[in-house]
Amino acid sequence: MKLTPVMEKFVLHWGEMGWRWGINRSVAQVHALLMLAPKPLPADEICESLNVARSNVSNSIKELQGWGLVRVVHVFGDRREHFETLKDVWEMFLIILRERKKREIDPTLQTLRECAAESAKDKNTGDHTTQRLNELIEFMELSSSWAEKAHALSPTAAKRLCSLGDKVFRLVG
Amino acid sequence: MKLTPVMEKFVLHWGEMGWRWGINRSVAQVHALLMLAPKPLPADEICESLNVARSNVSNSIKELQGWGLVRVVHVFGDRREHFETLKDVWEMFLIILRERKKREIDPTLQTLRECAAESAKDKNTGDHTTQRLNELIEFMELSSSWAEKAHALSPTAAKRLCSLGDKVFRLVG
DNA sequence: ATACTATTTCTGTAATTACAGAAATAACCA
DNA sequence: TGGTTATTTCTGTAATTACAGAAATAGTAT
């Protein structure tokens, strides 16, 4: 499938943005392509569209599956696997939120707790350091609990909550 | 300054985490060190603590200043510049939020709008694609408006809002 | 089974990024 | 002014990452 200029533009931009958030460029590009595609695509069409090697697509897809963002679809009369991404942007957002919590926030919280515990004992580590670690723990715990609550929402509820912006901020403003 | 094992552990972990979010490892490590340090540090002490080259520290500091996370402090009887990071975790969080919005969300929104406009005209680009772009725009616009509102909060208000988790989620749950 | 196609894994290379050390510049002092 | 120290910028190299193509594996059909 030859990409239209619009699709190409989007794919490039999405690749760049993913990149800035620590996602491999090709991975993000494959994701972008699947978002725009009207139907599931087989790997070789992805290669062709993005001008990358077959192996690259294979690995990118695997990575996206690891995130839970892409799944396999089978098409009648075609032995090849076809791939699609989730249709709902909000659902994707919640999935990414959960994954990043699991991969980054949770381990950080654990490390911080270990550090704070050791730090409190260790005479060589100053009070200031211990205090700082505790502040970070408090922050991370709150983030974590938000992420958990958010993840319990349905995609539509998440959307509704975000649309309620003003009301939410009036709670403290 | 020789780091204690606890500090070392934290610095390494923070470097790793920053890395996963698209921040250079050294940059994140310098930031970590400054968070733990009880007082502003001159560049050469940072070199020594982290075992990196002077030039590396110089560039990392510049990067952190670009984010608005580090500032210069002058110390009596010392010609060298000393560096400190913000003390308030919440304030740092809000700053990072604002910066990432400016650097990533805003440009993405602009590109998406351009794509959607061209896509709507272009006969070669399918309706599905246009629709998908519009969904993304809607999502990004809501994210953007949340980020703006959040940024208008004081650090303490932000903290309060996060602590209010249950109340917030009850709005839709 | 064997031929054929799809898919993954492996391997080497290209490209990028990170970073140390050198050189250059700037700031300060006497 | 010249000497001294702090800081930045430049340059080459080391390390990492990205990725194409080859080889290997798995799956399907006849």
Side-chain angles (χ1 to χ4, degrees):
Chain A
M1 184 176 57
K2 179 84 176 62
L3 298 188
T4 64
V6 166
M7 296 174 88
E8 207 171 280
K9 185 173 177 177
F10 173 72
V11 164
L12 288 174
H13 185 87
W14 202 251
E16 185 60 27
M17 284 304 117
W19 169 251
R20 298 219 194 168
W21 289 82
I23 306 294
N24 176 292
R25 221 177 237 112
S26 308
V27 172
Q29 286 184 359
V30 170
H31 182 230
L33 176 61
L34 291 178
M35 280 198 287
L36 297 191
K39 54 183 179 45
L41 299 178
D44 47 2
E45 270 194 48
I46 300 176
C47 297
E48 201 193 326
S49 302
L50 300 179
N51 281 300
V52 295
R54 186 50 235 267
S55 54
N56 193 356
V57 169
S58 176
N59 290 325
S60 297
I61 291 280
K62 213 166 57 173
E63 173 81 14
L64 287 165
Q65 286 177 318
W67 281 83
L69 292 173
V70 160
R71 58 179 162 230
V72 175
V73 172
H74 285 284
V75 169
F76 264 126
D78 195 332
R79 277 168 52 192
R80 298 171 303 176
E81 295 189 304
H82 291 58
F83 302 97
E84 65 176 9
T85 188
L86 308 184
K87 300 123 208 82
D88 190 322
V89 186
W90 291 88
E91 194 179 350
M92 290 200 284
F93 171 70
L94 291 176
I95 284 178
I96 292 168
L97 191 69
R98 182 189 55 199
E99 279 298 313
R100 296 216 87 144
K101 173 184 180 298
K102 195 170 76 190
R103 297 176 189 203
E104 276 117 18
I105 299 185
D106 291 350
T108 297
L109 204 35
Q110 183 172 354
T111 302
L112 282 170
R113 285 183 180 132
E114 289 163 14
C115 285
E118 292 167 38
S119 169
K121 284 182 208 148
D122 182 12
K123 283 291 164 197
N124 292 37
T125 302
D127 286 351
H128 181 269
T129 297
T130 310
Q131 161 128 27
R132 227 60 207 294
L133 290 170
N134 283 320
E135 286 163 17
L136 281 169
I137 287 174
E138 192 193 28
F139 173 76
M140 288 283 166
E141 278 172 347
L142 274 174
S143 310
S144 177
S145 92
W146 262 67
E148 267 164 32
K149 291 197 188 81
H151 178 246
L153 297 177
S154 67
T156 45
K159 184 177 171 184
R160 226 177 320 126
L161 179 57
C162 277
S163 313
L164 243 51
D166 288 323
K167 233 177 214 132
V168 173
F169 284 91
R170 230 173 290 134
L171 286 175
V172 292
Chain B
M1 184 175 57
K2 178 83 177 58
L3 297 188
T4 64
V6 167
M7 294 172 89
E8 209 171 279
K9 184 173 177 178
F10 173 72
V11 164
L12 288 174
H13 185 87
W14 202 251
E16 186 57 29
M17 285 304 116
W19 169 250
R20 298 220 195 165
W21 290 82
I23 307 294
N24 176 292
R25 222 177 236 113
S26 309
V27 172
Q29 286 185 359
V30 170
H31 182 229
L33 176 62
L34 291 178
M35 280 198 285
L36 298 190
K39 54 183 177 45
L41 299 178
D44 47 2
E45 270 194 48
I46 299 177
C47 297
E48 201 193 328
S49 301
L50 300 179
N51 280 300
V52 295
R54 187 48 235 269
S55 53
N56 194 355
V57 170
S58 177
N59 290 326
S60 297
I61 290 278
K62 213 167 57 175
E63 173 81 13
L64 287 165
Q65 286 177 316
W67 282 82
L69 292 174
V70 160
R71 59 180 161 229
V72 175
V73 173
H74 285 283
V75 170
F76 265 127
D78 194 334
R79 274 169 55 193
R80 298 172 304 177
E81 295 188 306
H82 291 58
F83 302 97
E84 65 176 9
T85 187
L86 308 185
K87 301 123 207 77
D88 190 323
V89 185
W90 292 89
E91 193 177 350
M92 289 200 285
F93 170 71
L94 291 175
I95 284 177
I96 291 168
L97 191 71
R98 182 189 54 199
E99 278 299 313
R100 294 215 90 143
K101 173 183 180 298
K102 196 170 74 189
R103 297 177 190 202
E104 276 117 18
I105 299 184
D106 291 349
T108 296
L109 205 35
Q110 184 173 351
T111 302
L112 282 170
R113 285 186 180 130
E114 289 164 15
C115 285
E118 291 166 39
S119 169
K121 281 181 212 151
D122 182 11
K123 283 290 164 199
N124 293 37
T125 301
D127 285 352
H128 182 269
T129 297
T130 310
Q131 163 130 23
R132 228 61 209 293
L133 290 170
N134 282 321
E135 286 162 16
L136 281 169
I137 287 172
E138 191 194 29
F139 174 76
M140 287 284 166
E141 277 171 348
L142 273 175
S143 309
S144 176
S145 93
W146 263 65
E148 266 163 33
K149 290 197 189 84
H151 178 247
L153 296 177
S154 66
T156 47
K159 184 176 171 184
R160 228 177 319 128
L161 179 57
C162 278
S163 313
L164 243 50
D166 289 321
K167 234 177 213 127
V168 173
F169 283 91
R170 228 172 293 134
L171 286 175
V172 290

mmCIF file with all atom_site columns, all heavy atoms in Angstrom, chain B residues 119-131:
data_model
loop_
_atom_site.group_PDB
_atom_site.id
_atom_site.type_symbol
_atom_site.label_atom_id
_atom_site.label_alt_id
_atom_site.label_comp_id
_atom_site.label_asym_id
_atom_site.label_entity_id
_atom_site.label_seq_id
_atom_site.pdbx_PDB_ins_code
_atom_site.Cartn_x
_atom_site.Cartn_y
_atom_site.Cartn_z
_atom_site.occupancy
_atom_site.B_iso_or_equiv
_atom_site.pdbx_formal_charge
_atom_site.auth_seq_id
_atom_site.auth_comp_id
_atom_site.auth_asym_id
_atom_site.auth_atom_id
_atom_site.pdbx_PDB_model_num
ATOM 1  N N   . SER B 1 119 ? -6.524  15.716 4.690  1.00 0.00 ? 119 SER B N   1
ATOM 2  C CA  . SER B 1 119 ? -7.149  14.412 4.523  1.00 0.00 ? 119 SER B CA  1
ATOM 3  C C   . SER B 1 119 ? -8.614  14.527 4.095  1.00 0.00 ? 119 SER B C   1
ATOM 4  O O   . SER B 1 119 ? -9.108  13.750 3.276  1.00 0.00 ? 119 SER B O   1
ATOM 5  C CB  . SER B 1 119 ? -7.038  13.644 5.839  1.00 0.00 ? 119 SER B CB  1
ATOM 6  O OG  . SER B 1 119 ? -7.827  12.499 5.821  1.00 0.00 ? 119 SER B OG  1
ATOM 7  N N   . ALA B 1 120 ? -9.296  15.515 4.662  1.00 0.00 ? 120 ALA B N   1
ATOM 8  C CA  . ALA B 1 120 ? -10.706 15.694 4.340  1.00 0.00 ? 120 ALA B CA  1
ATOM 9  C C   . ALA B 1 120 ? -10.884 16.068 2.864  1.00 0.00 ? 120 ALA B C   1
ATOM 10 O O   . ALA B 1 120 ? -11.854 15.686 2.217  1.00 0.00 ? 120 ALA B O   1
ATOM 11 C CB  . ALA B 1 120 ? -11.305 16.767 5.238  1.00 0.00 ? 120 ALA B CB  1
ATOM 12 N N   . LYS B 1 121 ? -9.920  16.803 2.345  1.00 0.00 ? 121 LYS B N   1
ATOM 13 C CA  . LYS B 1 121 ? -9.995  17.209 0.933  1.00 0.00 ? 121 LYS B CA  1
ATOM 14 C C   . LYS B 1 121 ? -9.565  16.089 -0.005 1.00 0.00 ? 121 LYS B C   1
ATOM 15 O O   . LYS B 1 121 ? -10.221 15.813 -1.015 1.00 0.00 ? 121 LYS B O   1
ATOM 16 C CB  . LYS B 1 121 ? -9.059  18.406 0.688  1.00 0.00 ? 121 LYS B CB  1
ATOM 17 C CG  . LYS B 1 121 ? -9.639  19.747 1.143  1.00 0.00 ? 121 LYS B CG  1
ATOM 18 C CD  . LYS B 1 121 ? -8.645  20.863 0.837  1.00 0.00 ? 121 LYS B CD  1
ATOM 19 C CE  . LYS B 1 121 ? -8.744  21.974 1.885  1.00 0.00 ? 121 LYS B CE  1
ATOM 20 N NZ  . LYS B 1 121 ? -7.501  22.685 2.074  1.00 0.00 ? 121 LYS B NZ  1
ATOM 21 N N   . ASP B 1 122 ? -8.458  15.480 0.361  1.00 0.00 ? 122 ASP B N   1
ATOM 22 C CA  . ASP B 1 122 ? -7.839  14.491 -0.519 1.00 0.00 ? 122 ASP B CA  1
ATOM 23 C C   . ASP B 1 122 ? -8.737  13.282 -0.790 1.00 0.00 ? 122 ASP B C   1
ATOM 24 O O   . ASP B 1 122 ? -9.138  12.576 0.118  1.00 0.00 ? 122 ASP B O   1
ATOM 25 C CB  . ASP B 1 122 ? -6.528  14.028 0.132  1.00 0.00 ? 122 ASP B CB  1
ATOM 26 C CG  . ASP B 1 122 ? -5.804  13.027 -0.737 1.00 0.00 ? 122 ASP B CG  1
ATOM 27 O OD1 . ASP B 1 122 ? -6.196  12.857 -1.906 1.00 0.00 ? 122 ASP B OD1 1
ATOM 28 O OD2 . ASP B 1 122 ? -4.844  12.407 -0.236 1.00 0.00 ? 122 ASP B OD2 1
ATOM 29 N N   . LYS B 1 123 ? -8.999  13.058 -2.075 1.00 0.00 ? 123 LYS B N   1
ATOM 30 C CA  . LYS B 1 123 ? -9.848  11.917 -2.461 1.00 0.00 ? 123 LYS B CA  1
ATOM 31 C C   . LYS B 1 123 ? -9.137  10.579 -2.226 1.00 0.00 ? 123 LYS B C   1
ATOM 32 O O   . LYS B 1 123 ? -9.783  9.558  -2.034 1.00 0.00 ? 123 LYS B O   1
ATOM 33 C CB  . LYS B 1 123 ? -10.234 12.040 -3.953 1.00 0.00 ? 123 LYS B CB  1
ATOM 34 C CG  . LYS B 1 123 ? -11.331 13.053 -4.210 1.00 0.00 ? 123 LYS B CG  1
ATOM 35 C CD  . LYS B 1 123 ? -12.686 12.558 -3.662 1.00 0.00 ? 123 LYS B CD  1
ATOM 36 C CE  . LYS B 1 123 ? -13.700 13.697 -3.555 1.00 0.00 ? 123 LYS B CE  1
ATOM 37 N NZ  . LYS B 1 123 ? -14.802 13.362 -2.641 1.00 0.00 ? 123 LYS B NZ  1
ATOM 38 N N   . ASN B 1 124 ? -7.808  10.607 -2.268 1.00 0.00 ? 124 ASN B N   1
ATOM 39 C CA  . ASN B 1 124 ? -7.061  9.352  -2.135 1.00 0.00 ? 124 ASN B CA  1
ATOM 40 C C   . ASN B 1 124 ? -6.977  8.848  -0.693 1.00 0.00 ? 124 ASN B C   1
ATOM 41 O O   . ASN B 1 124 ? -6.625  7.710  -0.453 1.00 0.00 ? 124 ASN B O   1
ATOM 42 C CB  . ASN B 1 124 ? -5.620  9.514  -2.658 1.00 0.00 ? 124 ASN B CB  1
ATOM 43 C CG  . ASN B 1 124 ? -5.604  9.733  -4.147 1.00 0.00 ? 124 ASN B CG  1
ATOM 44 O OD1 . ASN B 1 124 ? -6.496  10.406 -4.678 1.00 0.00 ? 124 ASN B OD1 1
ATOM 45 N ND2 . ASN B 1 124 ? -4.635  9.169  -4.839 1.00 0.00 ? 124 ASN B ND2 1
ATOM 46 N N   . THR B 1 125 ? -7.233  9.738  0.240  1.00 0.00 ? 125 THR B N   1
ATOM 47 C CA  . THR B 1 125 ? -7.172  9.327  1.638  1.00 0.00 ? 125 THR B CA  1
ATOM 48 C C   . THR B 1 125 ? -8.592  8.978  2.097  1.00 0.00 ? 125 THR B C   1
ATOM 49 O O   . THR B 1 125 ? -9.508  9.771  1.953  1.00 0.00 ? 125 THR B O   1
ATOM 50 C CB  . THR B 1 125 ? -6.591  10.454 2.512  1.00 0.00 ? 125 THR B CB  1
ATOM 51 O OG1 . THR B 1 125 ? -5.292  10.781 2.036  1.00 0.00 ? 125 THR B OG1 1
ATOM 52 C CG2 . THR B 1 125 ? -6.506  10.014 3.959  1.00 0.00 ? 125 THR B CG2 1
ATOM 53 N N   . GLY B 1 126 ? -8.722  7.793  2.640  1.00 0.00 ? 126 GLY B N   1
ATOM 54 C CA  . GLY B 1 126 ? -10.054 7.299  2.975  1.00 0.00 ? 126 GLY B CA  1
ATOM 55 C C   . GLY B 1 126 ? -10.711 8.012  4.147  1.00 0.00 ? 126 GLY B C   1
ATOM 56 O O   . GLY B 1 126 ? -10.053 8.686  4.934  1.00 0.00 ? 126 GLY B O   1
ATOM 57 N N   . ASP B 1 127 ? -12.013 7.827  4.256  1.00 0.00 ? 127 ASP B N   1
ATOM 58 C CA  . ASP B 1 127 ? -12.776 8.417  5.351  1.00 0.00 ? 127 ASP B CA  1
ATOM 59 C C   . ASP B 1 127 ? -12.298 7.903  6.699  1.00 0.00 ? 127 ASP B C   1
ATOM 60 O O   . ASP B 1 127 ? -12.248 8.634  7.678  1.00 0.00 ? 127 ASP B O   1
ATOM 61 C CB  . ASP B 1 127 ? -14.255 8.024  5.210  1.00 0.00 ? 127 ASP B CB  1
ATOM 62 C CG  . ASP B 1 127 ? -14.912 8.821  4.106  1.00 0.00 ? 127 ASP B CG  1
ATOM 63 O OD1 . ASP B 1 127 ? -14.257 9.749  3.595  1.00 0.00 ? 127 ASP B OD1 1
ATOM 64 O OD2 . ASP B 1 127 ? -16.057 8.506  3.749  1.00 0.00 ? 127 ASP B OD2 1
ATOM 65 N N   . HIS B 1 128 ? -11.977 6.627  6.707  1.00 0.00 ? 128 HIS B N   1
ATOM 66 C CA  . HIS B 1 128 ? -11.538 6.026  7.955  1.00 0.00 ? 128 HIS B CA  1
ATOM 67 C C   . HIS B 1 128 ? -10.344 6.775  8.527  1.00 0.00 ? 128 HIS B C   1
ATOM 68 O O   . HIS B 1 128 ? -10.283 7.062  9.722  1.00 0.00 ? 128 HIS B O   1
ATOM 69 C CB  . HIS B 1 128 ? -11.168 4.558  7.707  1.00 0.00 ? 128 HIS B CB  1
ATOM 70 C CG  . HIS B 1 128 ? -10.744 3.861  8.938  1.00 0.00 ? 128 HIS B CG  1
ATOM 71 N ND1 . HIS B 1 128 ? -9.434  3.807  9.347  1.00 0.00 ? 128 HIS B ND1 1
ATOM 72 C CD2 . HIS B 1 128 ? -11.457 3.214  9.883  1.00 0.00 ? 128 HIS B CD2 1
ATOM 73 C CE1 . HIS B 1 128 ? -9.381  3.130  10.478 1.00 0.00 ? 128 HIS B CE1 1
ATOM 74 N NE2 . HIS B 1 128 ? -10.584 2.770  10.826 1.00 0.00 ? 128 HIS B NE2 1
ATOM 75 N N   . THR B 1 129 ? -9.412  7.088  7.651  1.00 0.00 ? 129 THR B N   1
ATOM 76 C CA  . THR B 1 129 ? -8.215  7.811  8.078  1.00 0.00 ? 129 THR B CA  1
ATOM 77 C C   . THR B 1 129 ? -8.579  9.177  8.656  1.00 0.00 ? 129 THR B C   1
ATOM 78 O O   . THR B 1 129 ? -8.112  9.556  9.733  1.00 0.00 ? 129 THR B O   1
ATOM 79 C CB  . THR B 1 129 ? -7.262  7.979  6.875  1.00 0.00 ? 129 THR B CB  1
ATOM 80 O OG1 . THR B 1 129 ? -6.852  6.677  6.438  1.00 0.00 ? 129 THR B OG1 1
ATOM 81 C CG2 . THR B 1 129 ? -6.054  8.801  7.253  1.00 0.00 ? 129 THR B CG2 1
ATOM 82 N N   . THR B 1 130 ? -9.419  9.882  7.945  1.00 0.00 ? 130 THR B N   1
ATOM 83 C CA  . THR B 1 130 ? -9.833  11.204 8.419  1.00 0.00 ? 130 THR B CA  1
ATOM 84 C C   . THR B 1 130 ? -10.494 11.106 9.788  1.00 0.00 ? 130 THR B C   1
ATOM 85 O O   . THR B 1 130 ? -10.199 11.882 10.704 1.00 0.00 ? 130 THR B O   1
ATOM 86 C CB  . THR B 1 130 ? -10.831 11.822 7.425  1.00 0.00 ? 130 THR B CB  1
ATOM 87 O OG1 . THR B 1 130 ? -10.276 11.739 6.117  1.00 0.00 ? 130 THR B OG1 1
ATOM 88 C CG2 . THR B 1 130 ? -11.097 13.274 7.768  1.00 0.00 ? 130 THR B CG2 1
ATOM 89 N N   . GLN B 1 131 ? -11.347 10.131 9.917  1.00 0.00 ? 131 GLN B N   1
ATOM 90 C CA  . GLN B 1 131 ? -12.049 9.952  11.187 1.00 0.00 ? 131 GLN B CA  1
ATOM 91 C C   . GLN B 1 131 ? -11.071 9.669  12.327 1.00 0.00 ? 131 GLN B C   1
ATOM 92 O O   . GLN B 1 131 ? -11.150 10.244 13.406 1.00 0.00 ? 131 GLN B O   1
ATOM 93 C CB  . GLN B 1 131 ? -13.006 8.786  11.047 1.00 0.00 ? 131 GLN B CB  1
ATOM 94 C CG  . GLN B 1 131 ? -13.466 8.248  12.390 1.00 0.00 ? 131 GLN B CG  1
ATOM 95 C CD  . GLN B 1 131 ? -14.950 8.102  12.458 1.00 0.00 ? 131 GLN B CD  1
ATOM 96 O OE1 . GLN B 1 131 ? -15.630 7.985  11.439 1.00 0.00 ? 131 GLN B OE1 1
ATOM 97 N NE2 . GLN B 1 131 ? -15.472 8.130  13.662 1.00 0.00 ? 131 GLN B NE2 1
#
